[in-house]
Amino acid sequence: MMKPVIPYYGSMTDCKEVPITFPPQHQDRQPGLEYLMNPQPIFDNPNYIGTGKLTGKIAIITGGDSGIGRAAAVAFAKEGADLVLVYLNENQDAKTVQDAVQKIGRRCLLLPIDLRERNAGEQIVTRTLETYGHINILINNAGVQFPQPSLEAITDQQLETTFNVNIESFFRLSRAVVPHLHSGDSIVNTTSVQANIGSSQLIDYASTKGAIVSFTRALAHNLADKGIRVNAVAPGPIWTPLQPASWSADVVKTLGADTPMKRAGQPYELAPVYVLLASDDGSYITGQTIHVNGGQTMAS
Ligand code: NAD
Ligand code: MG
């Protein structure tokens, strides 16, 4: 069998390999905590040099404390954006991102807010405008997943939580933010390869991720005349706190091994796609879903 190509990041003198297997680990809470993970997810690529693509922009990122949202936050800061990071309660993880963003020289407002609350969107918009005066980019990225062996095992409570966090909050926060966006501004929603695959144990989660794809298309149509673009990113298996927090210790060991690239992705490998869609580089892209999944799906 061909040995998988292992990419690396870092300078020639500080070269790091991307892990292809993981020590077994499980966290008994969701959202999971990034600082407890081993190895630590790679959220920053030192070879990624910002070129001012988001200078002067204000970006709200939900789930920005960890995982994919954290990597997007750091790349956005390198491109000159100031940030608002929304998360449930992972204060230590959020502080790590805030430190990284401030080290780059950008501002970073931390907002621990439960997105299940009906007025979370209004709270986030008010705090953002008080702090920065305007909003340009919304990254709807918060998500939860609770694998279950059967349809009958999915309780009403789980169904409500999954739909509330994964899609209803996207809808409500977008509704609160859109009146403040202008031509050239952008929304990016994190969906999942699950919208296409529909894994047996993720019936409710996959349903919400399919809804995000359709929400993205409809909102893109609706906002096109205003010059506001709406797109989605569909990650495959990525090494983030969502993994040990939702799967058994045994499952995480080989995360991503079933992809054509035979490994999980690292959060930093998603960040340039969020920059593309949020910046003028993506000026003719709207209503689209970009797949970053090691080849797990080849058509959609
Ligand atoms: P993560 O745990 O780092 O991020 C999820 C975030 O959601 C958490 O940081 C948490 O703060 C936030 N969140 C959850 N419930 C919340 C609530 N009630 N209120 C406010 N915030 C809440 O994991 P991640 O993998 O980076 O997840 C980011 C997105 O990527 C999610 O939408 C997830 O479904 C999606 N995704 C992840 C993968 C993967 O393999 N990791 C694959 C496909 C899609
Ligand atoms: Mg988190």
Side-chain angles (χ1 to χ4, degrees):
M1 202 173 67
M2 208 175 79
K3 195 170 176 280
V5 175
I6 305 168
Y8 64 87
Y9 77 103
S11 66
M12 292 309 281
T13 49
D14 178 27
C15 171
K16 294 193 172 53
E17 284 187 351
V18 173
I20 50 169
T21 55
F22 302 96
Q25 57 205 283
H26 178 72
Q27 295 184 24
D28 265 330
R29 52 159 284 154
Q30 208 166 153
L33 296 170
E34 185 149 332
Y35 73 86
L36 294 180
M37 292 176 71
N38 173 33
Q40 286 284 285
I42 306 171
F43 63 89
D44 180 25
N45 177 358
N47 288 337
Y48 184 102
I49 311 291
T51 54
K53 287 176 181 174
L54 301 175
T55 300
K57 306 266 189 192
I58 304 301
I60 299 170
I61 306 180
T62 69
D65 60 294
S66 57
I68 295 164
R70 176 190 286 200
V74 170
F76 280 18
K78 287 184 180 180
E79 295 291 358
D82 291 320
L83 296 156
V84 179
L85 306 184
V86 180
Y87 56 99
L88 185 58
N89 53 20
E90 309 99 294
N91 290 316
Q92 184 170 331
D93 280 349
K95 186 77 181 50
T96 301
V97 196
Q98 188 182 47
D99 288 347
V101 167
Q102 289 174 345
K103 215 167 143 196
I104 293 164
R106 304 315 314 175
R107 293 177 289 172
C108 187
L109 174 67
L110 301 185
L111 292 183
I113 290 179
D114 189 340
L115 286 163
R116 288 170 297 185
E117 288 174 18
R118 297 276 162 208
N119 68 348
E122 284 72 25
Q123 288 183 56
I124 293 163
V125 167
T126 302
R127 292 292 307 279
T128 302
L129 294 177
E130 278 169 6
T131 308
Y132 298 120
H134 64 286
I135 309 169
N136 305 102
I137 298 162
L138 170 61
I139 310 296
N140 283 309
N141 169 73
V144 287
Q145 73 174 16
F146 306 97
Q148 299 292 355
S150 67
L151 186 61
E152 301 89 301
I154 300 172
T155 61
D156 281 347
Q157 196 194 3
Q158 173 174 326
L159 189 64
E160 277 164 28
T161 301
T162 307
F163 272 76
N164 199 343
V165 176
N166 291 15
I167 175 66
E168 290 176 28
S169 82
F170 286 30
F171 198 101
R172 287 192 297 265
L173 181 53
S174 301
R175 193 175 55 192
V177 165
V178 161
H180 303 278
L181 299 183
H182 298 96
S183 183
D185 293 342
S186 160
I187 298 175
V188 185
N189 302 314
T190 305
T191 173
S192 168
V193 68
Q194 285 302 326
N196 298 71
I197 292 179
S199 284
S200 162
Q201 294 181 64
L202 294 173
I203 304 170
D204 52 340
Y205 177 84
S207 304
T208 64
K209 294 302 181 179
I212 292 168
V213 173
S214 304
F215 171 66
T216 300
R217 290 178 181 146
L219 192 60
H221 271 130
N222 189 273
L223 295 178
D225 282 349
K226 294 195 169 96
I228 300 164
R229 295 177 301 100
V230 187
N231 290 289
V233 178
I238 312 298
W239 185 237
T240 72
L242 189 75
Q243 302 295 353
S246 60
W247 296 110
S248 69
D250 222 36
V251 168
V252 304
K253 278 196 298 193
T254 53
L255 181 76
D258 57 346
T259 66
M261 292 184 74
K262 298 187 174 58
R263 67 170 180 90
Q266 290 290 326
Y268 83 91
E269 297 181 283
L270 281 290
V273 179
Y274 286 87
V275 172
L276 165 69
L277 296 175
S279 72
D280 288 344
D281 278 3
S283 58
Y284 198 50
I285 306 175
T286 198
Q288 306 303 311
T289 298
I290 297 191
H291 301 264
V292 187
N293 62 24
Q296 201 170 19
T297 55
M298 299 261 180
S300 65

